[in-house]
Amino acid sequence: MVEKQESITAKLCSFARAFHSNFGEKKIFDDYLAFDLMGKNQYEEMGQLIENGFDGSKYSQKKWFCHENIMDALYNYILPIPLSRISFAEKELADFASKYSGSGKKIQYVICGAGMDSFAFRNTNENIHVFEIDHPDTQKYKKERINELEWMLPKNLTFVPVDFTKDSLREKLLENGFNPGLPTFTAILGVSYYLELPVFEETLKIISDLTSDESRIIFDFPDKTTKAVSAAPRVRDLAAITEKLGEPMVKGFSIWQIRRALGTHSLRIERHEGPKEIQKKYFLGRSDNLSAFENVHFVTATKRQNIFRKIGHIRSVAGGRR
């Protein structure tokens, strides 16, 4: 997992959701609480960062950024990924929750690197218990914002502070009331871009080992074109931007590598949306030049441990009959 206290790219994603909610004409996703939760000061800071060519040293409390000066960079690099993936994530969550709505069974929603995510305050389903995982400093800022806004903390929200340099994700979740026996939906968004596959796979393993059969994991990932010479110009540009911000992207993965990593931990892909599918689903017919990134994929995987055990048993029996 990412070991930064609070990444700049995470703040930019919050800015993207807030800006789009306030000014987007045809909304891909309306996070109507994003601006309030982020706060005016942090919003302004990110606006100036974009306006100043992603040079944080030029920020001034005495200035205000101009919307017209950031539109090209915002629409090309900042908005497409956060908006489409949060729309994907919450639609997949709604589908998962609907499977248990008739029985009234409780489910758990684990958000890794939650940042300023506002789902817990927009959620109307009391059967969804939200576990927000993030660095203690990030959660401290978020709690301060909630207090300033005088929002009531939902009873079905639990903050799980985790410093990945010294804490165990498994232990922290269990300490904070996570129930391994309940159906669980886990979102790992905006993380794989900065991790080598073995490190990302370790996170998949932890979640799979901790959750029951039929639980789901969703995540986004960049494919191998990310740092290739043949990569689309804005893919290379975004990689250069994140490197300038001190958060360099890795080279990306193939869907075959992802499928193999998931299978190793009893996870099976249920849904895979590549750039063409994402473009068609979220950006078709728009007049504002927003478009899907050429190297980004979304995945939903389901834990099916029993199936893998059965396959192993069948192979064992077949092997014994030779």
Side-chain angles (χ1 to χ4, degrees):
M1 299 290 290
V2 177
E3 295 179 355
K4 293 180 179 297
Q5 292 186 16
E6 187 176 9
S7 73
I8 298 298
T9 53
K11 290 181 181 181
L12 285 170
C13 290
S14 297
F15 179 89
R17 295 195 298 272
F19 185 95
H20 188 64
S21 179
N22 288 336
F23 302 105
E25 293 183 1
K26 184 180 178 183
K27 297 201 173 32
I28 296 170
F29 182 84
D30 188 7
D31 189 346
Y32 53 87
L33 297 180
F35 179 83
D36 290 338
L37 197 51
M38 186 179 192
K40 184 177 179 180
N41 291 339
Q42 198 171 90
Y43 182 85
E44 177 64 32
E45 180 186 351
M46 291 300 101
Q48 285 194 37
L49 180 68
I50 300 169
E51 186 176 47
N52 294 324
F54 301 96
D55 183 351
S57 67
K58 294 181 180 180
Y59 170 70
S60 172
Q61 293 182 341
K62 298 179 181 180
K63 296 181 180 179
W64 303 97
F65 75 90
C66 175
H67 284 184
E68 292 183 1
N69 295 341
I70 69 170
M71 296 302 281
D72 285 346
L74 189 64
Y75 277 69
N76 271 310
Y77 307 117
I78 309 302
L79 294 181
I81 300 174
L83 295 179
S84 54
R85 76 179 173 210
I86 193 64
S87 181
F88 173 81
E90 294 203 9
K91 285 177 181 176
E92 290 291 290
L93 172 63
D95 177 68
F96 181 75
S98 69
K99 293 174 57 179
Y100 303 95
S101 59
S103 64
K105 190 173 185 178
K106 300 286 186 181
I107 69 169
Q108 298 171 132
Y109 179 27
V110 177
I111 310 175
C112 297
M116 295 297 113
D117 190 282
S118 67
F119 173 81
F121 296 91
R122 292 182 283 105
N123 176 39
T124 57
N125 187 341
E126 295 180 353
N127 288 329
I128 300 177
H129 192 109
V130 182
F131 291 86
E132 291 197 7
I133 299 170
D134 220 323
H135 192 279
D137 289 350
T138 303
Q139 290 192 342
K140 180 182 177 182
Y141 175 79
K142 186 171 188 176
K143 288 178 180 179
E144 288 172 352
R145 284 297 305 151
I146 292 168
N147 287 334
E148 289 171 8
L149 294 165
E150 297 184 346
W151 289 359
M152 293 290 292
L153 280 176
K155 294 180 180 178
N156 54 344
L157 168 63
T158 299
F159 290 106
V160 184
V162 180
D163 182 343
F164 288 98
T165 63
K166 57 184 179 181
D167 295 331
S168 162
L169 173 58
R170 176 187 176 85
E171 291 178 3
K172 285 292 184 178
L173 273 170
L174 293 174
E175 286 174 6
N176 284 276
F178 179 85
N179 185 345
L182 290 179
T184 301
F185 187 94
T186 303
I188 312 174
L189 303 177
V191 172
S192 65
Y193 301 81
Y194 311 99
L195 304 178
E196 296 294 341
L197 186 56
V199 180
F200 183 58
E201 186 176 341
E202 179 61 23
T203 303
L204 297 176
K205 178 183 185 301
I206 293 169
I207 298 299
S208 178
D209 289 348
L210 195 57
T211 54
S212 61
D213 275 7
E214 301 304 317
S215 291
R216 289 183 183 175
I217 296 178
I218 64 161
F219 58 91
D220 55 333
F221 75 93
D223 63 33
K224 281 185 169 293
T225 66
T226 299
K227 288 199 171 183
V229 176
S230 59
R234 70 169 177 162
V235 171
R236 296 197 301 269
D237 290 345
L238 182 60
I241 289 169
T242 61
E243 188 162 2
K244 184 175 182 179
L245 295 174
E247 300 175 32
M249 292 183 177
V250 297
K251 60 185 178 181
F253 324 118
S254 69
I255 186 61
W256 179 83
Q257 287 178 304
I258 291 294
R259 195 179 299 275
R260 185 178 64 176
L262 289 167
T264 302
H265 305 293
S266 302
L267 295 163
R268 188 182 73 180
I269 292 179
E270 295 288 343
R271 186 184 301 277
H272 167 225
E273 294 183 0
K276 290 182 180 179
E277 291 83 5
I278 294 170
Q279 175 65 28
K280 183 177 180 180
K281 188 172 180 179
Y282 302 101
F283 300 100
L284 194 64
R286 299 190 68 86
S287 59
D288 53 13
N289 295 322
L290 275 176
S291 62
F293 252 80
E294 296 83 350
N295 68 326
V296 172
H297 300 245
F298 302 153
V299 165
T300 301
T302 300
K303 183 176 178 181
R304 294 280 171 79
Q305 189 171 21
N306 290 339
I307 289 177
F308 285 90
R309 284 176 178 171
K310 289 178 182 177
I311 292 173
H313 174 70
I314 292 170
R315 287 175 176 170
S316 176
V317 171
R321 289 176 179 172
R322 290 176 182 173

